[in-house]
Amino acid sequence: MKATIFSLVFTALTGIVSGLAIKRDDFPLDVSIGGGIAPINAPATGLNISVGGAIGNGGSPNDLPPNITRRSYQPQAPYADPHTINPLNFVDSGELCEGHLTYEDGDYYCQKIDQVIYTNVAHTGEYQEVEYMNEETGECRFAAVNRTFAGEMAPFNEPVTLIFRGPIHLKQLAIYHPTGSSYTRNHHYHAASQSTSGLTFLGNRGGEGSGVVGDFFGASLSYINPTASGGSSSPQVLANEVITNEFLVYTDQDCDSGSGSCGYVRPNAVAKKGFPGGTFMVLLEFSMPHTGGDKPAIWLENARVPYTQQYGGCSCWTSGCGEFDIFEILHEGYERAETTFHLDVPAGDPNWFPRPTDRNAPIKVAVWFDGPVNGGTASVKMLGTSDGKEFGRVLSEGEVREFKKRSEGLVSEIDYARRRGPVPV
């Protein structure tokens, strides 16, 4: 998640107290699940966390339901910042980092690259699924049985959302899915023409024209105004200017009522379906000038997280339902962007992309996830300074091959299976 990095202190099942740096809002951990450890980023005092209907405010360790595994509460998943770990400890980082390693403000950096590739992203695991929220009492109830996932790109084979944190001037966004050997553009935003197709801009601005706001869960998802500085009562097109706030992009299709295709949705929140996961491509054109909060980022997240509470304990994020940081400035004012998988366990590349600070010289970037390739492959690839052309409606087989071709520049390749190591038990 993208908020100020802070130290989270929690009491583990063993009684060991650990301090961990994560990128989420600061919520003290004071809620337990049947005497065991609570969802690791539990919200502030007053929010009652439940599992399978049992309010978690005490009890003996034996109160933890037998069908809830402890794997979801491992201290390394998924919030730990892998950029704080010396990359020379990893076999697949040594070549690019030897002689180029720096350590700044708590994070490691190696070399400027043109592409990062994560292979063997196949993943089997589980996460806690929210099944109930009560605005009046603050109760957040998780399902008694964890949701399981498996296969190439899992859990990113579930619907996802794209999230942007300013300052950013998003000139163009296109999301493609395979149709035979070609890829079809199903979702598109073009700033210059102020046109969109198949997508909606949302934000955590509930209570400002749409959505809901409350004492326990804060502001829900809502429609936003063109600058993302406030809410709106209806969908709006993002302004063709530098946006200093945070906004989310979903499809333009409403979630089904009840649990439906989106999973649980906070009552009265604005909820649109996420983009189909698994195998897809995202093309981006943007700049990130020095202004506003000056710590911009682009990331992809399981669509379920913001439906409940994007920044807080009442979501599946902490138990590992999936986030991939595509292009993140880790520290205010920095000009090096890194990538990170927030999963159980997390993996991050210490090599970096140059931040496009000149608003008159935006860059183009290709992001693709491909399940059948190399056991599940994710890539972020620099395409250079923008040529001003609009992304096509259909990418031919040859164009897809060109986008997926290994860059001729410096490429960092990470075997996620090596980073993950043995599955924790």
Side-chain angles (χ1 to χ4, degrees), residues 368-385:
W368 53 268
F369 279 31
D370 198 332
V373 175
N374 295 329
T377 296
S379 172
V380 181
K381 180 181 178 181
M382 299 283 285
L383 302 178
T385 303

Side-chain angles (χ1 to χ4, degrees), residues 201-208 210-211 220-224 230-232 270:
F201 294 104
L202 301 178
N204 292 294
R205 295 284 182 171
E208 302 177 21
S210 58
S220 73
L221 282 180
S222 72
Y223 298 117
I224 55 172
S232 173
V270 174

